[in-house]
Amino acid sequence: MKNKKVGIITYHFARNYGAVLQCYALQKFIGNQGYQVEILNYKTHKQEQNNSLFNKRKGIKNIVMNIALYPFKSKRIIKDKKFEEFIQKEMNCTNRIYSLEELKNKINDEGFKYIISGSDQVWNPRIGDFEDAFFFPFKCAAKKISYAASIGGATLEELDNYKKWINDFENISVREETTSKILNSILEKKVKVVLDPTMLLNNDEWKIVEDDVEEEYMLCYFINKSNFKEGFKIAKKIAKQRRLKIKIINARFSLNSFRKGTIVDAGPIDFIRLMKKASFICTDSFHGTIFSIIFNKPFLSIDRKDNKNDTRKSDLLKKLSLEDRLIRIPNDEKINIKDTKQEDIDGRLNKIREDSINFLKKSLK
């Protein structure tokens, strides 16, 4: 019988909706193709500390932070539990892996045929949770593949130490055009641009929640604190026009977390349910934008005028001819959403989705 064992390494452990759901989606899609998929449960002590519920580091700044977050203690515990339950139930993870040596031994000893790095910013050395392990910096029998990997804002100089190991990947795909251009300039192999894993699944395949409650509301999801004031101002204007109450998914704890309508303890399932049931979505999040598209929602995607490096949202919306859904702040409050037929959006999405699916299918041969 042909070996169809696939291992995925990514930020599956993060208490971040996009990080967890993109991992779930990639595992599910590949599993649906008949492969045995396992999440390589690599997490160092440093990563564990960075993602712990309570900051145990010393120093005045961290003490003040813990005091400021104390009013949300019970809700944070609930949220953390929901993330852990989702990972336990929906992800097929290996036993905990703490080091590169353990990772190498796991891949070799358990006979993985393919190992995939991605998605998310797994190739960005600037991230606090970054580890060399995301480049699989060792020789092994498994075929190395990257799927929708991102370097974030990393420079060529910062990537130079990893060029050797990236070239060791048999098939390389990234999430952004900018990442593709940078890597193509230093690598010996062609770099493919593909969709984020969450978009490999269609609306029907995201039926991990069932909720018959019908409710009309505007959903706000802002991950950048500096965007909240202006983004929320735009959201309130739309909510008033459409006579919608406002619900807010709390992404970053701040004074805005006390605002009426804020949901502090949402887990991954809650996130999907809130997106699916919303009447309108206003977000500055890449994955918030993605799920607005998947679930066929009227939406606005917020971005800053001075954002030169992160083109994820603008690139995706351009491909789908949805540039009118992007609002640049500060000062750009012109809202002029075109009446775009949903079948036209679905048609364009299905076309680029098929291209990404073909990359995966060819890579897993």
Side-chain angles (χ1 to χ4, degrees):
M1 181 179 178
K2 182 181 177 181
N3 183 352
K4 287 195 169 187
K5 195 168 184 179
V6 181
I8 299 172
I9 191 168
T10 186
Y11 294 110
H12 70 284
F13 51 81
R15 286 346 189 205
N16 174 285
Y17 304 110
V20 169
L21 292 172
Q22 62 84 16
C23 182
Y24 163 83
L26 186 58
Q27 174 194 257
K28 183 175 178 63
F29 175 82
I30 295 175
N32 286 346
Q33 310 307 307
Y35 293 87
Q36 179 188 346
V37 189
E38 291 187 50
I39 308 302
L40 297 167
N41 193 16
Y42 181 92
K43 184 166 62 172
T44 64
H45 292 297
K46 183 189 78 171
Q47 290 172 326
E48 184 174 37
Q49 176 61 50
N50 288 345
N51 291 273
S52 65
L53 184 60
F54 299 107
N55 193 332
K56 298 179 181 179
R57 295 175 182 173
K58 297 180 181 179
I60 297 297
K61 181 180 178 180
N62 294 308
I63 293 173
V64 171
M65 183 183 295
N66 284 332
I67 293 173
L69 292 175
Y70 187 78
F72 304 106
K73 180 179 179 180
S74 61
K75 295 288 188 180
R76 290 172 69 208
I77 291 173
I78 292 172
K79 179 179 178 180
D80 188 77
K81 184 178 179 181
K82 287 178 177 179
F83 268 86
E84 191 57 38
E85 287 176 348
F86 181 84
I87 292 170
Q88 293 291 331
K89 180 180 178 182
E90 302 292 347
M91 296 186 189
N92 182 28
C93 295
T94 66
N95 293 332
R96 175 83 176 267
I97 303 169
Y98 293 87
S99 68
L100 272 177
E101 189 65 24
E102 286 184 40
L103 179 63
K104 178 181 177 180
N105 291 339
K106 169 71 73 173
I107 292 168
N108 288 328
D109 295 347
E110 298 193 12
F112 284 90
K113 179 70 173 180
Y114 312 93
I115 48 177
I116 299 176
S117 180
S119 177
D120 227 332
Q121 294 186 50
V122 286
W123 287 357
N124 184 1
R126 294 184 176 186
I127 288 183
D129 281 336
F130 170 78
E131 291 287 336
D132 290 356
F134 294 121
F135 288 102
F136 298 126
F138 45 74
K139 292 293 182 181
C140 62
K143 179 180 179 180
K144 299 177 184 179
I145 302 164
S146 76
Y147 185 81
S150 174
I151 64 171
T155 64
L156 285 174
E157 291 74 21
E158 289 170 321
L159 292 170
D160 192 58
N161 291 334
Y162 306 101
K163 184 168 66 173
K164 171 187 174 183
W165 295 113
I166 300 176
N167 271 316
D168 200 40
F169 280 67
E170 290 194 40
N171 297 81
I172 303 171
S173 70
V174 296
R175 199 172 57 182
E176 299 96 17
E177 294 287 348
T178 49
T179 299
S180 172
K181 290 176 182 177
I182 290 173
L183 292 183
N184 271 323
S185 71
I186 63 172
L187 299 180
E188 301 163 5
K189 298 181 179 180
K190 179 76 173 177
V191 176
K192 175 80 173 175
V193 179
V194 294
L195 286 174
D196 185 90
T198 51
M199 301 192 90
L200 293 174
L201 307 183
N202 60 37
N203 192 332
D204 291 335
E205 291 173 304
W206 275 107
K207 287 183 177 178
I208 55 176
V209 296
E210 293 295 339
D211 191 346
D212 296 329
V213 177
E214 293 298 329
E215 187 180 10
E216 293 191 348
Y217 58 88
M218 151 79 72
L219 182 64
C220 294
Y221 178 51
F222 300 112
I223 61 174
N224 191 325
K225 289 181 183 179
S226 63
N227 292 344
F228 191 95
K229 183 178 180 181
E230 290 166 278
F232 191 64
K233 179 181 177 182
I234 294 170
K236 285 196 297 182
K237 182 178 180 180
I238 299 171
K240 184 176 180 180
Q241 292 172 345
R242 297 180 177 238
R243 298 181 180 178
L244 299 172
K245 70 177 183 179
I246 296 177
K247 291 187 178 184
I248 307 165
I249 299 177
N250 186 76
R252 299 282 186 272
F253 286 97
S254 67
L255 289 176
N256 291 316
S257 302
F258 291 97
R259 192 180 294 272
K260 182 181 178 181
T262 301
I263 302 167
V264 179
D265 58 356
I269 295 291
D270 299 311
F271 179 86
I272 294 298
R273 180 183 293 112
L274 287 163
M275 286 280 172
K276 268 188 171 244
K277 294 296 179 178
S279 300
F280 197 102
I281 297 171
C282 195
T283 182
D284 68 345
S285 157
F286 177 55
H287 283 103
T289 301
I290 282 178
F291 281 108
S292 300
I293 295 167
I294 291 174
F295 296 144
N296 305 329
K297 298 297 177 180
F299 71 95
L300 280 179
S301 186
I302 308 293
D303 209 346
R304 301 202 69 81
K305 284 184 176 180
D306 58 1
N307 179 12
K308 304 297 183 183
N309 297 321
D310 187 355
T311 61
R312 292 176 297 170
K313 297 191 291 291
S314 58
D315 284 352
L316 176 62
L317 294 174
K318 185 177 181 180
K319 287 179 180 179
L320 296 174
S321 298
L322 292 173
E323 297 97 323
D324 58 303
R325 307 298 176 93
L326 185 66
I327 294 290
R328 298 281 185 179
I329 59 173
N331 305 324
D332 186 0
E333 296 183 23
K334 184 180 179 182
I335 302 170
N336 185 25
I337 300 177
K338 298 176 184 176
D339 185 18
T340 308
K341 292 182 179 180
Q342 191 58 50
E343 54 264 35
D344 292 339
I345 299 173
D346 291 341
R348 288 189 284 268
L349 177 56
N350 287 336
K351 186 176 180 180
I352 56 178
R353 177 186 282 138
E354 191 62 32
D355 190 48
S356 297
I357 289 173
N358 286 337
F359 170 84
L360 269 175
K361 286 183 175 180
K362 289 178 181 178
S363 297
L364 297 172
K365 282 187 176 180

